[in-house]
Amino acid sequence: MSQDRLPPPEPEACLVRLRPSSQKGGTIIAEDVTDLATHERRLFDPDGYRPRFCPRCRDTTLHVHDYRERVLRAEPGRPVAKIVRHECVGCEAIWQVLPAFIARHLWRTWRVVEHTLTGATPTQPEGEGGRFPPVPKRTRRRWRARWLRPAQYVAQVLASCGEAVWAALAAGLSPAATCADLVAAYAGATATAAGHVLAAVAALIYRLQPKVRLM
Ligand SMILES: [Zn+2]
């Protein structure tokens, strides 16, 4: 970093979680589920979303605990998605499995977030498709600030994950790179289709380091 520049601002507290969660269980992201049709197929298959083992105690017996409705704001199609939760017989941890296209903390799908930030529209609109309803200005501002913040925390996750392809991606970023730059580099390196890039990067970061959030 050059001497005349101030250090980058700290990320919003919610974007880097320092203390481990005391709650039993948590969220598993199904990275291969990128559209609503696939999600519903998996949901109606009794084993579609059943974790193969409990990430906490490695027990292999998990039962359906319940189904929850998740509201998706500003969605062109249906504004809710059903989410299944499984309970581990061994330790009673409860795991919800989220399809990769749902932005966990933003009450939206990633395609809505990506469309808002970049104008990208998925080449194959899912389900009912249609126009994207407007996202409130304050929300857009908040997303944009996160989008344009320095990529350093997220890049560190990639650099230290032990996978050469992600380490190389992080090494190719300039010191001043923003999260937007990092996402663009990912799209270039993986040829991920427009409208699906944010979902893919967010799921990757979550898998490598659940304490750090892209957005
Ligand atoms: Zn368990």
Side-chain angles (χ1 to χ4, degrees), residues 54-59 62 88-93 95:
C54 170
R56 186 164 180 265
C57 74
R58 305 267 143 181
D59 198 309
L62 291 99
C88 168
V89 168
C91 73
E92 298 182 333
W95 299 100

Side-chain angles (χ1 to χ4, degrees), residues 11-17 146 149 211-215:
E12 287 175 71
C14 69
L15 298 176
V16 180
R17 181 161 49 83
R146 292 174 181 179
R149 79 188 192 276
K211 291 176 184 170
V212 173
R213 270 165 63 181
L214 174 65
M215 290 285 296

Side-chain angles (χ1 to χ4, degrees), residues 89-102:
V89 168
C91 73
E92 298 182 333
I94 290 171
W95 299 100
Q96 71 164 347
V97 184
L98 273 191
F101 64 85
I102 291 182

Side-chain angles (χ1 to χ4, degrees), residues 10-208:
E10 290 296 308
E12 287 175 71
C14 69
L15 298 176
V16 180
R17 181 161 49 83
L18 296 174
R19 272 183 304 165
S21 162
S22 57
Q23 168 204 346
K24 269 210 252 176
T27 300
I28 298 167
I29 294 180
E31 294 186 38
D32 53 336
V33 181
T34 58
D35 63 79
L36 193 61
T38 310
H39 172 59
E40 296 194 331
R41 258 201 315 279
R42 292 274 289 266
L43 208 57
F44 293 126
D45 172 352
D47 293 323
Y49 274 132
R50 191 187 309 280
R52 279 184 291 120
F53 59 88
C54 170
R56 186 164 180 265
C57 74
R58 305 267 143 181
D59 198 309
T60 53
T61 311
L62 291 99
H63 295 311
V64 170
H65 178 66
D66 62 8
Y67 292 89
R68 296 172 123 192
E69 299 251 284
R70 190 153 177 131
V71 174
L72 300 170
R73 293 187 194 140
E75 192 60 20
R78 247 169 307 162
V80 289
K82 213 185 220 188
I83 302 299
V84 62
R85 298 197 303 170
H86 286 86
E87 181 172 6
C88 168
V89 168
C91 73
E92 298 182 333
I94 290 171
W95 299 100
Q96 71 164 347
V97 184
L98 273 191
F101 64 85
I102 291 182
R104 211 153 50 100
H105 299 283
L106 305 181
W107 297 88
R108 306 291 198 295
T109 57
W110 281 114
R111 65 177 185 149
V112 167
V113 179
E114 189 169 333
H115 176 78
T116 305
L117 289 168
T118 70
T121 308
T123 41
Q124 291 172 303
E126 303 136 20
E128 296 83 352
R131 288 179 43 187
F132 287 87
V135 172
K137 208 182 208 168
R138 269 181 52 193
T139 305
R140 287 206 312 263
R141 255 205 312 266
R142 190 168 64 241
W143 289 356
R144 188 151 293 280
R146 292 174 181 179
W147 182 237
L148 298 176
R149 79 188 192 276
Q152 99 193 110
Y153 281 88
V154 180
Q156 267 168 27
V157 171
L158 298 180
S160 59
C161 73
E163 291 179 39
V165 57
W166 307 131
L169 196 149
L173 294 171
S174 87
T178 63
C179 286
D181 297 326
L182 183 145
V183 169
Y186 177 95
T190 58
T192 304
H196 298 284
V197 185
L198 269 178
V201 177
L204 172 68
I205 300 298
Y206 185 70
R207 169 158 50 87
L208 299 175

